[in-house]
Amino acid sequence: MTTVIPFSQALRERTWSDHGRSEGAGFMHDLMSGKGTQDDYTALVAQHWFVYEALEAAAQRFVDDDTAAAFIEPALTRLPAIEADLEHLIGPDWREQIEPTPQVVAYCDRIREIADEGWAGGFIAHHYTRYLGDLSGGQAIKRLMQRHFGFDTNGVLFYIFDDIADPREFKENYREQLDAAGWDAAESDRVIDEVVRAYAYNTALFDDLEKAKAGAVA
Ligand code: HEM
């Protein structure tokens, strides 16, 4: 008898090494270990603004999609929290002070391309990579940023999901929804490949910020 593993498990297993590359990026490692500065953290929040602006605009495109609609949940929406964090970290003119790194431009273009194609599986791949990460490692990032930079809630609102009482339960439900998507083997592979791509963009984002830092000191 062959055991068919749930899609969510296959997804996690086949992308966990990509997760490790993102998590282990030097820029992130420095921030977590306390070697990074508050300006480094602000640079990261600024890149998040571009990514979530693209992702949450794409969500609008899929609200009526049979498969994607189940994942789109107002409690996840991050853009207002990021904007409040940027206002706190940079000031009221934050929008004129930030620009996307080259890899973030490519990342956002890819999300927009998927939205234009109307590919629900691709959208879900990007949705999963960001929001499940924010509800997982994001919670550890929040605690460390609070410790390193003295934030209470302002500055780390991005990581605070006021309307999600139990992130663990939320993630379990999310995985059940992934398993219920009903993708065939070919589409499942395509979605997993897109998650690999999403992780690569996130790793590249950190690498861009690392390079910008090196350039600033040189
Ligand atoms: C310092 C950086 C990071 C740390 C410490 C970290 C840590 C973790 C941990 C401990 C989990 C497992 C949680 C659980 O089993 O419920 C997790 C899951 C996850 N992380 Fe990260 N992470 C980091 C960065 C990232 C990044 C940059 C991304 C992508 C943008 C990401 C995306 C995810 C996703 C999608 C999951 C859910 C995997 C699944 O259960 O299917 N993480 N992370």
Side-chain angles (χ1 to χ4, degrees):
M1 203 180 90
T2 48
T3 320
V4 178
I5 64 164
F7 172 77
S8 60
Q9 193 185 329
L11 169 63
R12 189 188 165 108
E13 285 172 6
R14 283 170 53 187
T15 60
W16 200 242
S17 59
D18 301 280
H19 177 274
R21 269 188 286 281
S22 264
E23 181 185 352
F27 181 86
M28 205 58 219
H29 187 266
D30 282 357
L31 260 187
M32 298 288 278
S33 68
K35 272 194 249 157
T37 63
Q38 185 167 321
D39 282 349
D40 296 339
Y41 173 69
T42 301
L44 177 63
V45 180
Q47 297 310 312
H48 284 159
W49 186 81
F50 294 101
V51 174
Y52 284 80
E53 207 249 336
L55 191 59
E56 292 178 1
Q60 294 311 308
R61 160 71 184 76
F62 290 102
V63 277
D64 295 323
D65 179 274
D66 287 346
T67 316
F71 294 87
I72 300 168
E73 162 70 66
L76 289 173
T77 305
R78 295 292 83 202
L79 207 55
I82 298 173
E83 293 183 353
D85 284 338
L86 287 172
E87 174 125 10
H88 178 75
L89 294 163
I90 300 177
D93 64 340
W94 61 267
R95 185 62 191 91
E96 288 94 70
Q97 307 292 329
I98 66 172
E99 57 177 53
T101 72
Q103 290 296 329
V104 168
V105 170
Y107 187 0
C108 297
D109 283 350
R110 178 62 185 152
I111 293 171
R112 287 190 198 103
E113 183 179 50
I114 286 171
D116 289 347
E117 274 174 27
W119 178 31
F123 167 71
I124 293 165
H126 284 276
H127 189 275
Y128 159 85
T129 309
R130 282 301 338 176
Y131 295 113
L132 240 59
D134 301 333
L135 287 165
S136 305
Q139 299 309 298
I141 299 173
K142 177 190 81 180
R143 284 189 292 276
L144 285 170
M145 296 309 106
Q146 286 174 317
R147 189 187 305 163
H148 296 325
F149 304 124
F151 299 130
D152 178 11
T153 55
N154 286 329
V156 285
L157 291 167
F158 169 68
Y159 297 105
I160 300 173
F161 290 85
D162 275 332
D163 297 323
I164 298 180
D166 184 345
R168 187 180 297 270
E169 188 184 297
F170 187 95
K171 285 191 286 179
E172 272 166 27
N173 289 336
Y174 193 102
R175 290 190 190 101
E176 279 167 21
Q177 278 168 15
L178 285 172
D179 295 336
W183 292 313
D184 64 15
E187 181 63 1
S188 296
D189 281 349
R190 224 155 69 93
V191 173
I192 292 175
D193 287 348
E194 192 63 33
V195 170
V196 169
R197 197 163 169 178
Y199 274 124
Y201 282 126
N202 280 281
T203 307
L205 180 166
F206 293 139
D207 291 348
D208 269 357
L209 291 178
E210 182 76 37
K211 273 185 236 150
K213 239 172 105 163
V217 208

